[in-house]
Amino acid sequence: MNYRHAYHAGNFADVVKHIILTRILEYMKLKDAAFRVIDTHAGIGLYDLMGPEAAKTIEWKSGIFRLMEAVDNNELDAETSALIAPFINAVKAQNTTSDIRYYPGSPLLTRHLLRKQDRLSALELHPNDVKTLAKLFDGDYQVRVTHLDGWLAMGAHLPPKEKRGVVLVDPPFEIGGEFDRLASNLAKAHKKFSGGTYALWYPVKDHREVKRFHQALYDTGIQKIMVAELSIRAASLEPRLDGTGMVIVNPPYVLEKELKLILPALVKLLCEDKGAGYRLNWIRKEGDGA
């Protein structure tokens, strides 16, 4: 309840997470049928990078600022630039000048990419944040903002009536047990909506916990679980945010190929030392036994 993403908005973890989200949504749009996005920990939707919270940490300078600078200077190859263009355009859409002051969180980023037939369910538990989020989308018939614990939504809001959907789970990880909650709630949600695409974010801080989390995901027996991680430095002796991870269940079939282009480019741009890198692997593939 005390977590404020405004301190971290636009950092390297946001950049990686949101680029992956945009690639998933762009794939969903290839079919005419409507889909729903369920954002379980939506936040306030839009972040002022010049505000007091972001100014205190300036994490965005080593995240979205570096990426936008590289784009403006044409430092990325054409194929990678095309893949991240939906994300870049969504960020630029929130800014009236070439300088990036406002950064869209996942609900606003998602809304920018939706077609007229698609819908967004944005859930937020914090009483002040949900009011801010609701005001942002006031009058938007394609978005429903709900004051609710996002963990509950993985059962109560599934399956969506559209029968196609993306579930983004982006918990703050400010209390213990979040890895366990991710794995257990995914297992419950998958039983209700096995055909959905799930995108689960996690921090790479305690590497032993991450390894245990991956084993817990394997133990669910769910097939088609892919993991993408990007680290900006070598593993620290004491827990700190060395990297960012995304678990994607039922990923678009093109996503692995796309990330093999995107992640190396992001490592080069966002790295802090020679220990930076990425990994892209499968916890379970289709056809693996439980």
Side-chain angles (χ1 to χ4, degrees):
M1 294 293 291
N2 295 320
Y3 178 80
R4 283 293 183 273
H5 188 67
Y7 289 100
H8 314 289
N11 68 1
F12 79 93
D14 261 3
V15 166
V16 176
K17 170 177 58 185
H18 290 151
I19 287 176
I20 293 175
L21 175 62
T22 60
R23 294 317 311 158
I24 293 172
L25 297 180
E26 288 299 287
Y27 177 80
M28 295 291 289
K29 290 159 60 177
L30 295 178
K31 292 184 178 181
D32 290 335
F35 65 86
R36 181 174 295 269
V37 178
I38 299 173
D39 191 336
T40 65
H41 298 74
I44 63 173
L46 184 65
Y47 299 90
D48 183 357
L49 301 182
M50 301 302 162
E53 297 91 350
K56 187 173 182 179
T57 63
I58 58 172
E59 290 184 16
W60 56 271
K61 282 195 173 182
S62 57
I64 187 59
F65 178 80
R66 286 188 188 176
L67 179 60
M68 298 301 291
E69 193 174 46
V71 169
D72 291 342
N73 293 332
N74 295 313
E75 295 177 22
L76 301 173
D77 65 81
E79 195 168 4
T80 303
S81 294
L83 289 173
I84 69 170
F87 168 71
I88 297 297
N89 292 337
V91 175
K92 287 184 175 180
Q94 303 304 322
N95 294 273
T96 56
T97 69
S98 58
D99 294 329
I100 302 301
R101 173 169 180 169
Y102 297 102
Y103 185 83
S106 52
L108 196 57
L109 180 69
T110 295
R111 180 63 185 93
H112 179 81
L113 296 174
L114 294 184
R115 305 162 301 177
K116 63 180 181 180
Q117 66 266 44
D118 306 320
R119 298 292 183 269
L120 166 65
S121 294
L123 314 171
E124 176 55 46
L125 179 60
H126 196 286
N128 293 331
D129 288 357
V130 75
K131 290 178 182 177
T132 302
L133 187 65
K135 185 177 180 180
L136 182 67
F137 290 112
D138 185 36
D140 191 333
Y141 72 93
Q142 289 184 248
V143 180
R144 175 177 291 179
V145 176
T146 305
H147 185 201
L148 183 69
D149 184 345
W151 294 116
L152 300 177
M154 295 183 74
H157 285 239
L158 296 175
K161 65 179 183 179
E162 291 83 2
K163 306 303 180 185
R164 301 180 67 222
V166 177
V167 182
L168 175 65
V169 188
D170 181 16
F173 278 85
E174 65 172 345
I175 59 175
E178 296 286 58
F179 281 116
D180 292 334
R181 275 185 284 275
L182 271 178
S184 63
N185 280 279
L186 171 63
K188 294 175 184 176
H190 191 266
K191 288 179 180 178
K192 298 190 68 174
F193 186 40
S194 61
T197 295
Y198 297 83
L200 317 178
W201 178 82
Y202 63 91
V204 179
K205 297 174 79 173
D206 186 328
H207 296 263
R208 289 176 297 181
E209 277 292 290
V210 169
K211 186 176 181 180
R212 191 173 68 84
F213 172 53
H214 289 178
Q215 182 61 49
L217 292 172
Y218 179 86
D219 291 342
T220 65
I222 297 171
Q223 298 183 14
K224 293 190 286 186
I225 303 179
M226 188 172 74
V227 172
E229 285 186 2
L230 184 146
S231 297
I232 58 172
R233 53 178 163 257
S236 305
L237 295 177
E238 297 295 328
R240 62 182 297 198
L241 189 63
D242 296 323
T244 181
M246 285 283 276
V247 171
I248 308 103
V249 179
N250 295 325
Y253 77 95
V254 296
L255 186 60
E256 183 177 18
K257 180 180 178 181
E258 292 177 350
L259 292 182
K260 285 181 178 179
L261 292 172
I262 294 170
L263 292 177
L266 293 181
V267 169
K268 185 177 180 180
L269 289 176
L270 305 176
C271 68
E272 290 192 359
D273 63 37
K274 293 181 179 179
Y278 79 95
R279 68 172 178 167
L280 187 62
N281 62 281
W282 292 85
I283 289 179
R284 278 189 184 272
K285 283 190 173 183
E286 188 173 15
D288 287 351

